[in-house]
Amino acid sequence: MSLRYYLRGEMNMRIDFRKIGMGLGPLLFVIIYFVPALTGLEASPRAVLAVTAWVATWWITEALPIPATSLLPIFLLPLAGGTDQATATMAYGNPIVFMYMGGFTIALGIEKWNLHKRIAMTIIALLGTSSSRIIMGVGLATAFLSMWISNAATALMMLPIALALIKEIKDKEFLKEDSFQKFAKGLLLTVAYSASIGGLATIVGSVPNAALVAVASNMLGQEITFADWFTFGIIVTVILLVVLYIYITKIKFKVTDEGNISSGFAREQLKELGPMSTEEKFVLTIFSLTGLLWIFGGFLPFELSDTTISMLGATTLFVIPNTKGGRLLDWFDMKGLSWGLLLLFGGGLSLAAAFESSGLTVWFGDILSNLDRFNYLLILIILTATVLFMTEIMSNTAVSNMLMPISVGLAAGIGVEPYGIMAVVALASSCAFMLPISTPPNAAVFGADLLDIEDMMKAGFWMNMVGIVVIVFAVYVLQPIFLSY
């Protein structure tokens, strides 16, 4: 979410942070740019810092739509003297942008031919024989889809399925009222939280993950492949999903009169879908091959980048005909692509490139070098908690784009490898569980009117605590093993 939402105080005062941000962004630019003594920076890095302050403020407050704000670096950076035009604009054509574009396109194909519903219903039909196992099935289906599709789209797709399951169980009176309420709340929160957790596993499942990969390429000259991140991220996802399942079904929303609940609903849905269509089979094949190449492409005797794989899979959808006289995807279908998100990537990468070319990263490193007196583990804990609770009230795209370049400077300042600090920013900025306005999945399930704000805040607080522990463990113990160069 963003601070564009109104905050309500005891006196019901309303503050529109969009209006405040509209003026604050340019004001910060003017102060930083025209008062050199404030930072002690030379003209070029000072200009980059000033532009970053302006853009970050508009991202955070959504004074303009985030994609529109993401266009500012194209003209502000060269006009202010932060970097040249080529550096500012080339970032928008970064290979990571096209890799994400390919992933989005394949997701459109999956949704167009209802393959996502078949996958979800198959998992639920296989696992759903009790309330806890139905929750497990829904959680696994949601997390799996979220690895490839945005968490918002995944949640919106899974929500009707969850609500239909809730209605079925209520109508058939499988559970007593108290147990039914626990089941309904637990299932909805599982959809919301699994949609966020699943995206942690892949670089196409989460905007902050993609931002990390792009900044590593631009600022560190290091290519982090799909397989590199997956071997690290999947462990974080699995641990969080296991904890989520135990917490929801055994602690927070434990059903005491658990009986045998038919998984017939999912089977009925599969029956309505009928046999897999030719289109579904083609899309599933392309989707599967793309995923396998992303994971195992490094073992091939020739070089095949993640972007090449992504665009190959996406383009193939436009080549193969369907049985209705068109193609698996027509260009008209591309209206559903998240073009604004691609611009957001470009804006963040443009600022990151300017950080590096102007030397601003070194300045941040010098400032943060005093932190080397603290234990690295303590720094990770503080940073994880800070980022995680920031993203409760700010867009994770804004948080990650703002902090990812700075994290490189922080790592240099305290004398550690940057990938751990960057991973903290990526993972923590995707784990917001407490508020309905924190993430689109949270907002989606809260809108079903079956959850109280207290339910989400209490459950979300403890999931946040778990998230801090798991992320710190992953970065401190696993990152040096799986994500070190």
Side-chain angles (χ1 to χ4, degrees):
M1 59 83 61
S2 98
L3 289 179
R4 66 184 175 84
Y5 289 89
Y6 294 112
L7 300 180
R8 291 174 173 84
E10 292 183 1
M11 298 183 65
N12 202 33
M13 292 178 60
R14 296 184 178 184
I15 304 173
D16 189 345
F17 281 87
R18 287 174 296 186
K19 293 180 180 178
I20 293 175
M22 182 65 76
L24 182 60
L27 178 62
L28 289 174
F29 172 88
V30 169
I31 293 173
I32 295 171
Y33 188 76
F34 290 103
V35 186
L38 192 64
T39 59
L41 285 166
E42 297 295 327
S44 179
R46 190 172 73 251
V48 175
L49 183 63
V51 171
T52 301
W54 185 342
V55 173
T57 300
W58 279 12
W59 269 338
I60 293 167
T61 61
E62 290 191 38
L64 294 183
I66 285 180
T69 298
S70 301
L71 297 172
L72 264 62
I74 293 178
F75 59 89
L76 284 181
L77 285 172
L79 283 176
T83 190
D84 58 88
Q85 188 73 71
T87 301
T89 55
M90 285 177 64
Y92 291 81
N94 188 284
I96 295 298
V97 175
F98 285 95
M99 185 198 73
Y100 230 90
M101 181 180 177
F104 284 158
T105 304
I106 293 171
L108 288 176
I110 291 172
E111 293 176 31
K112 177 179 178 179
W113 298 105
N114 253 349
L115 179 60
H116 57 322
K117 186 173 183 179
R118 187 179 296 277
I119 292 170
M121 285 296 131
T122 300
I123 293 174
I124 294 169
L126 290 173
L127 296 176
T129 56
S130 67
S131 65
S132 60
R133 294 189 69 176
I134 287 176
I135 288 176
M136 178 194 295
V138 169
L140 289 175
T142 305
F144 175 76
L145 291 172
S146 190
M147 292 180 189
W148 317 97
I149 304 171
S150 76
N151 63 0
T154 300
L156 290 174
M157 185 277 292
M158 291 300 297
L159 180 59
I161 296 171
L163 291 175
L165 284 167
I166 290 169
K167 183 178 185 301
E168 180 81 359
I169 289 170
K170 183 177 179 64
D171 291 345
K172 298 291 176 60
E173 298 182 348
F174 284 120
L175 299 172
K176 296 177 182 177
E177 182 60 26
D178 181 62
S179 292
F180 170 74
Q181 290 296 327
K182 290 179 179 178
F183 167 75
K185 292 177 179 181
L187 183 63
L188 290 176
L189 287 176
T190 296
V191 169
Y193 296 165
S194 298
S196 294
I197 292 170
L200 301 177
T202 67
I203 57 179
V204 297
S206 166
V207 174
N209 292 358
L212 179 150
V213 173
V215 168
S217 175
N218 274 22
M219 298 183 69
L220 303 173
Q222 179 62 55
E223 181 186 1
I224 298 177
T225 66
F226 185 97
D228 291 335
W229 180 265
F230 184 75
T231 55
F232 169 72
I234 191 63
I235 299 174
V236 179
T237 290
V238 169
I239 294 174
L240 284 175
L241 284 176
V242 170
V243 172
L244 174 64
Y245 172 74
I246 294 172
Y247 176 65
I248 291 292
T249 63
K250 309 300 180 184
I251 301 174
K252 181 63 177 174
F253 299 106
K254 184 178 181 180
V255 175
T256 54
D257 63 332
E258 182 119 44
N260 190 46
I261 299 175
S262 171
S263 58
F265 169 78
R267 299 188 189 282
E268 287 175 11
Q269 292 292 307
L270 286 171
K271 188 176 180 180
E272 287 182 14
L273 287 172
M276 283 191 75
S277 65
T278 302
E279 290 81 4
E280 282 183 273
K281 292 176 182 177
F282 276 129
V283 173
L284 179 60
T285 300
I286 294 168
F287 170 54
S288 301
L289 288 175
T290 301
L292 288 172
L293 284 173
W294 270 336
I295 297 171
F296 300 109
F299 297 100
L300 295 175
F302 52 89
E303 184 176 351
L304 201 60
S305 72
D306 288 339
T307 300
T308 300
I309 295 167
S310 178
M311 295 307 295
L312 175 62
T315 305
T316 303
L317 292 172
F318 292 96
V319 174
I320 299 176
N322 64 41
T323 58
K324 297 176 173 54
R327 308 283 177 174
L328 292 180
L329 276 183
D330 298 308
W331 189 251
F332 177 78
D333 298 316
M334 294 295 282
K335 72 181 190 310
L337 192 74
S338 298
W339 296 102
L341 195 53
L342 300 180
L343 289 178
L344 173 63
F345 283 146
L349 293 173
S350 182
L351 291 176
F355 263 65
E356 188 66 17
S357 66
S358 68
L360 185 59
T361 304
V362 177
W363 179 76
F364 271 109
D366 292 339
I367 288 180
L368 298 170
S369 60
N370 290 328
L371 290 176
D372 62 4
R373 70 185 70 176
F374 296 106
N375 180 274
Y376 179 52
L377 181 59
L378 178 61
I379 293 173
L380 290 181
I381 294 171
I382 295 172
L383 181 62
T384 303
T386 301
V387 175
L388 194 149
F389 283 100
M390 280 176 66
T391 200
E392 287 286 356
I393 59 170
M394 292 167 54
S395 159
N396 67 350
T397 55
V399 171
S400 57
N401 270 13
M402 180 174 60
L403 296 183
M404 199 62 73
I406 297 174
S407 67
V408 177
L410 171 59
I414 62 178
V416 299
E417 193 178 56
Y419 306 106
I421 303 294
M422 295 168 72
V424 163
V425 173
L427 295 173
S429 59
S430 293
C431 291
F433 303 119
M434 282 182 62
L435 300 175
I437 53 177
S438 298
T439 65
N442 288 10
V445 301
F446 191 77
D449 291 328
L450 293 174
L451 286 166
D452 298 324
I453 184 69
E454 183 180 1
D455 296 321
M456 184 172 284
M457 289 193 69
K458 286 183 177 179
F461 174 80
W462 289 111
M463 282 304 299
N464 277 2
M465 294 299 101
V466 170
I468 292 171
V469 173
V470 172
I471 291 169
V472 170
F473 165 77
V475 171
Y476 192 74
V477 177
L478 301 178
Q479 176 268 316
I481 301 173
F482 295 103
L483 203 66
S484 183
Y485 301 92

